Amino acid sequence: MNTTNKNSPNISYISVSQMQRILQKIGTEHFIAGIVEYLEQDFAKWESFDKSPRFAAHSPDGVIELMPIGDHEKFSFKYVNGHPKNTASGLQTVIAFGVLSDVDTGYPLLLSEMTILTALRTAATSVMMAKYLARKDSKTLALIGCGAQSEFQAIAFINMLGIKTIRLYDTDPEAIKKCYNNLKNRDVHIVLCTSAEEVVQDADIITTCTADKKNATILTSDMVTAGVHVNAIGGDCPGKTELEAKLLERADVFIEYEPQTRIEGDIQQLPEDSPVTEMFKVIRGDRDGRTSDEQITIFDGVGFAIEDYSALRYVYDLVSNNESCQQLELLASPSNPRNLYGLAMTSAE
Amino acid sequence: MNTTNKNSPNISYISVSQMQRILQKIGTEHFIAGIVEYLEQDFAKWESFDKSPRFAAHSPDGVIELMPIGDHEKFSFKYVNGHPKNTASGLQTVIAFGVLSDVDTGYPLLLSEMTILTALRTAATSVMMAKYLARKDSKTLALIGCGAQSEFQAIAFINMLGIKTIRLYDTDPEAIKKCYNNLKNRDVHIVLCTSAEEVVQDADIITTCTADKKNATILTSDMVTAGVHVNAIGGDCPGKTELEAKLLERADVFIEYEPQTRIEGDIQQLPEDSPVTEMFKVIRGDRDGRTSDEQITIFDGVGFAIEDYSALRYVYDLVSNNESCQQLELLASPSNPRNLYGLAMTSAE
């Protein structure tokens, strides 16, 4: 009895090892540039997305979230947790994986690790925004916070914005050293700093990517001079901010998705009607990004589901076109859909 | 540089082939009985579950759903689509997979195919309900609808309720033949019928599991005699019903979860305040199930997320204790969580 459908489509599977292999083959900078291309395509068709609120299951020690999003072509969701106490037992605070599906058939196409991929898409998002918001002659990037995201940010800005000098600061000297070691072979001048005040000296772009979950003031208004672009990505949930409110009031603020950023972004400190610009309008040319060399611009980034969608779409096209990858046999396909029992009783191959 | 955490927990992975292997080794009837045990445990602690509405992404040709649920120990979600036009291109209308996670750490534990598993858990749910609702001396089961679910239902009832005679009917004679062939080697008397009126003769339990998406009247009140239990599982979404309203009014109706069944179940035909009993109360002993041999009972089943949770929990315990299975390396675990870039640059094993 032929109960197995030979057309049974499998799911492409990107393990952590496979992500490492692809990344090292392509190069982190080119991988990020690839995602940027997909991000610009997807932000440009912003209205076609069904932008649902994330689903969150809270427990005493953490949260498990599902972040779904889709348009008329593809659907994706990311599974991501947040359990600060995990580090005490040698586990990660945050791990993530995601699925990309074909809307036309409802079939999943790709299952991918997203712990590394989220860092890549976050850097890709930052650099895409900076293309529209930073001065074209930007040469110096200051990084406040040398954690998990820092090297990806640095590499993206070196490659796509022509950054020649990177200034590093973290409250933990070990983190600065780690970041320096990961970047030292790149074609960039690296300056190690001992305070936030020092690191922002002469910076054209200031990236804040600190991890403390509190309303911190990492960057005050008096530290930021005219013409600077601030890439603020560490303040990304209620009660977690990095910028002084006065700085936000003084600058032009650009965001991903207003309903989400009002709750999660640095602008949670401002009134509900404070002026902001959603970046898809800038990308589409409907609104201005930077308009003068004196303007202070801020990208108040929180991470939005479309960015996961773009990243998964990029990886899927990559493995469909160039890279071989494992296939998961996760979808039962009886040749006669009504004979599922017959399929269940077929000997496994 | 040691960037890979050797404690990196992998995810147990149940492919379709692995599900086939486990099922054939354990036996369908014992597998279903195993799920019943987990279902009773989980229904008994009903209030401890965070019962969220499912997330649904609708498109012109179908729907993609995520069904999350969790208590303080485990979290699960099922991905399931519904695309009727898929059959025309040799694909399945419905495919499903699911994930079980540890709430304490947020880490996923199991990724499993759920096309076959959903059929098993649906049969397990039906037979668990019938334990409380059918007459103890039930010997004859009538099956109206011989589709994908039929054999699983039949095997569950033969094994757990002592059914000796199965009467089969479907509008398509090929479906009856398929069901007969799949059941003929079981220790049960099988009667093939040519109409719904014929198949219900002398039945103690009537199972309706038809597939037509419309408000059909598969079973009318005059076809059902005193003392019968009706296991109605085909009517499971708005606009899809199987029972005559008069029959529902005449019987005692038992359901899974009232907010969902009012929308999806056969009781969508009745007023919002029609009397129903949620089964967790019966399982806990707070409410009566069957109280007399004359009573007509109906389980108006629509399929609820807790049942997926129980099924995934059963499979996870099975593979943790007895069965070997593949592991997915889906979770990046840098030994220094702030050195994610270092992990990304580590050579894959």
Side-chain angles (χ1 to χ4, degrees):
Chain A
M1 185 161 43
N2 174 24
T3 48
T4 305
N5 187 335
K6 293 301 175 197
N7 295 323
S8 165
N10 287 336
I11 302 177
S12 296
Y13 164 55
I14 307 291
S15 65
V16 174
S17 298
Q18 182 71 4
M19 185 61 79
Q20 289 169 328
R21 267 182 233 108
I22 294 174
L23 200 55
Q24 289 166 39
K25 182 176 162 192
I26 296 179
T28 305
E29 59 272 41
H30 297 118
F31 195 109
I32 291 172
I35 299 177
V36 167
E37 199 179 309
Y38 281 62
L39 278 170
E40 294 201 86
Q41 291 167 9
D42 294 332
F43 270 73
K45 56 177 189 171
W46 184 264
E47 276 94 351
S48 70
F49 284 93
D50 184 3
K51 291 175 278 291
S52 314
R54 65 182 78 193
F55 166 85
H58 294 275
S59 57
D61 289 320
V63 62
I64 297 174
E65 295 183 344
L66 300 176
M67 298 168 66
I69 194 155
D71 64 356
H72 60 283
E73 289 178 5
K74 297 282 192 294
F75 167 86
S76 75
F77 73 87
K78 178 161 86 171
Y79 173 109
V80 59
N81 76 315
H83 285 69
K85 78 162 182 63
N86 275 3
T87 43
S89 49
L91 299 176
Q92 302 298 303
T93 298
V94 176
I95 53 96
F97 66 90
V99 169
L100 182 75
S101 297
D102 177 22
V103 165
D104 191 44
T105 63
Y107 274 54
L109 302 168
L110 173 74
L111 169 72
S112 177
E113 85 79 34
M114 286 195 80
T115 312
I116 298 170
L117 187 58
T118 297
L120 291 159
R121 71 83 160 139
T122 301
T125 303
S126 282
V127 78
M128 172 182 75
M129 301 308 186
K131 274 174 57 185
Y132 296 92
L133 300 178
R135 290 195 334 274
K136 296 293 169 212
D137 63 350
S138 296
K139 291 280 170 283
T140 300
L141 169 68
L143 271 179
I144 306 182
C146 295
Q149 175 63 211
S150 59
E151 296 90 345
F152 298 96
Q153 288 283 335
I155 292 166
F157 280 75
I158 294 167
N159 181 52
M160 297 194 72
L161 286 197
I163 291 297
K164 302 292 178 205
T165 300
I166 299 221
R167 301 172 65 85
L168 301 180
Y169 173 65
D170 194 289
T171 52
D172 178 0
E174 287 300 314
I176 302 179
K177 205 160 90 183
K178 173 224 53 158
C179 188
Y180 171 76
N181 282 328
N182 282 328
L183 296 174
K184 66 184 176 193
N185 295 327
R186 300 255 160 196
D187 183 21
V188 68
H189 177 56
I190 304 177
V191 183
L192 310 187
C193 301
T194 55
S195 73
E197 287 71 20
E198 183 191 349
V199 80
V200 299
Q201 296 300 319
D202 303 320
D204 303 305
I205 299 171
I206 303 171
T207 291
T208 55
C209 49
T210 60
D212 262 11
K213 190 173 173 176
K214 62 182 181 193
N215 290 317
T217 308
I218 309 294
L219 196 65
T220 56
S221 185
D222 57 16
M223 291 163 68
V224 181
T225 54
V228 164
H229 172 58
V230 178
N231 172 41
I233 58 165
D236 63 357
C237 66
K240 184 169 188 290
T241 57
E242 295 178 316
L243 308 184
E244 188 183 27
K246 205 158 91 178
L247 172 59
L248 290 160
E249 287 159 358
R250 182 179 152 218
D252 290 309
V253 178
F254 298 83
I255 60 174
E256 288 142 319
Y257 180 48
E258 186 164 354
Q260 187 180 331
T261 308
R262 288 278 175 207
I263 296 164
E264 301 176 2
D266 268 282
I267 58 167
Q268 67 188 266
Q269 305 173 74
L270 301 189
E272 280 293 312
D273 59 352
S274 69
V276 293
T277 303
E278 287 183 321
M279 276 304 294
F280 78 93
K281 295 173 186 164
V282 176
I283 291 164
R284 282 210 306 230
D286 299 342
R287 289 284 210 99
D288 286 327
R290 173 172 290 275
T291 50
S292 82
D293 280 354
E294 286 69 48
Q295 192 181 10
I296 297 176
T297 53
I298 297 177
F299 169 54
D300 183 7
V302 296
F304 185 53
I306 286 183
E307 295 151 21
D308 301 316
Y309 172 99
S310 302
L312 287 167
R313 207 163 64 76
Y314 170 70
V315 171
Y316 180 67
D317 285 355
L318 212 56
V319 297
S320 301
N321 297 330
N322 304 303
E323 305 293 328
S324 66
C325 82
Q326 277 182 271
Q327 301 289 310
L328 293 185
E329 181 224 356
L330 196 57
L331 309 178
S333 292
S335 54
N336 172 1
R338 291 192 298 188
N339 198 7
L340 186 61
Y341 181 76
L343 174 73
M345 290 300 110
T346 304
S347 292
E349 283 161 27
Chain B
M1 187 160 42
N2 175 24
T3 47
T4 307
N5 188 333
K6 292 302 174 198
N7 295 323
S8 166
N10 288 335
I11 303 177
S12 296
Y13 164 54
I14 307 290
S15 65
V16 173
S17 298
Q18 182 70 3
M19 186 61 80
Q20 290 169 327
R21 266 182 235 112
I22 294 175
L23 201 54
Q24 290 166 39
K25 182 176 163 194
I26 295 180
T28 304
E29 58 274 41
H30 296 119
F31 195 109
I32 291 171
I35 298 177
V36 167
E37 200 179 308
Y38 281 62
L39 278 170
E40 294 201 86
Q41 291 166 8
D42 294 333
F43 269 73
K45 56 176 189 172
W46 185 263
E47 277 94 353
S48 70
F49 284 94
D50 184 3
K51 292 175 278 293
S52 314
R54 65 181 80 194
F55 166 86
H58 294 276
S59 57
D61 289 319
V63 63
I64 295 174
E65 295 182 345
L66 300 177
M67 297 168 67
I69 195 154
D71 64 357
H72 60 281
E73 288 178 5
K74 297 280 192 295
F75 167 87
S76 74
F77 73 88
K78 178 161 84 170
Y79 173 109
V80 59
N81 76 315
H83 286 70
K85 78 163 181 61
N86 275 2
T87 44
S89 48
L91 298 177
Q92 303 298 303
T93 298
V94 176
I95 54 96
F97 66 90
V99 170
L100 182 74
S101 298
D102 177 22
V103 165
D104 191 44
T105 62
Y107 274 54
L109 303 168
L110 174 74
L111 169 72
S112 177
E113 85 79 33
M114 287 196 78
T115 313
I116 298 170
L117 188 58
T118 297
L120 291 159
R121 72 84 160 138
T122 302
T125 302
S126 282
V127 77
M128 172 182 75
M129 301 307 187
K131 273 175 56 184
Y132 296 92
L133 300 178
R135 289 198 333 275
K136 296 293 171 214
D137 63 349
S138 296
K139 291 280 172 282
T140 300
L141 168 69
L143 273 178
I144 307 183
C146 295
Q149 176 61 210
S150 58
E151 297 90 344
F152 298 96
Q153 288 283 335
I155 292 167
F157 280 74
I158 295 167
N159 180 53
M160 296 194 72
L161 287 197
I163 291 297
K164 302 291 178 205
T165 300
I166 301 222
R167 301 171 66 85
L168 300 179
Y169 173 66
D170 194 290
T171 51
D172 178 0
E174 287 300 314
I176 302 179
K177 205 160 90 184
K178 174 226 49 159
C179 188
Y180 171 77
N181 282 328
N182 282 329
L183 296 175
K184 66 184 175 193
N185 294 327
R186 300 255 160 196
D187 182 21
V188 68
H189 178 57
I190 303 177
V191 183
L192 310 186
C193 302
T194 56
S195 74
E197 288 70 19
E198 182 190 351
V199 81
V200 299
Q201 298 299 318
D202 303 319
D204 303 305
I205 299 170
I206 303 171
T207 291
T208 55
C209 49
T210 60
D212 262 12
K213 191 174 171 173
K214 62 181 179 194
N215 289 317
T217 307
I218 309 295
L219 195 66
T220 56
S221 185
D222 57 16
M223 292 162 70
V224 181
T225 54
V228 163
H229 172 59
V230 178
N231 172 41
I233 58 165
D236 62 356
C237 66
K240 184 168 187 292
T241 57
E242 294 178 315
L243 309 183
E244 189 184 27
K246 205 159 89 179
L247 172 60
L248 290 160
E249 287 158 0
R250 182 177 152 221
D252 289 309
V253 178
F254 298 83
I255 61 175
E256 289 142 318
Y257 180 47
E258 185 164 355
Q260 187 181 331
T261 308
R262 288 279 174 206
I263 296 165
E264 301 176 3
D266 268 280
I267 58 167
Q268 67 188 263
Q269 305 173 73
L270 301 190
E272 280 293 312
D273 59 351
S274 69
V276 294
T277 302
E278 287 183 320
M279 276 303 294
F280 77 92
K281 295 174 188 164
V282 177
I283 290 164
R284 281 211 305 229
D286 298 342
R287 291 283 210 100
D288 287 327
R290 172 171 292 273
T291 50
S292 82
D293 280 355
E294 286 70 47
Q295 191 182 12
I296 296 176
T297 52
I298 297 177
F299 170 55
D300 183 6
V302 297
F304 185 53
I306 286 183
E307 295 151 22
D308 301 317
Y309 173 99
S310 302
L312 287 168
R313 208 164 63 76
Y314 171 69
V315 171
Y316 181 67
D317 284 353
L318 211 56
V319 297
S320 300
N321 296 329
N322 303 301
E323 305 292 328
S324 66
C325 81
Q326 276 183 271
Q327 301 289 311
L328 294 185
E329 182 225 352
L330 196 58
L331 310 178
S333 291
S335 54
N336 172 0
R338 291 192 297 188
N339 198 6
L340 186 61
Y341 180 76
L343 174 73
M345 290 301 109
T346 303
S347 292
E349 284 162 25

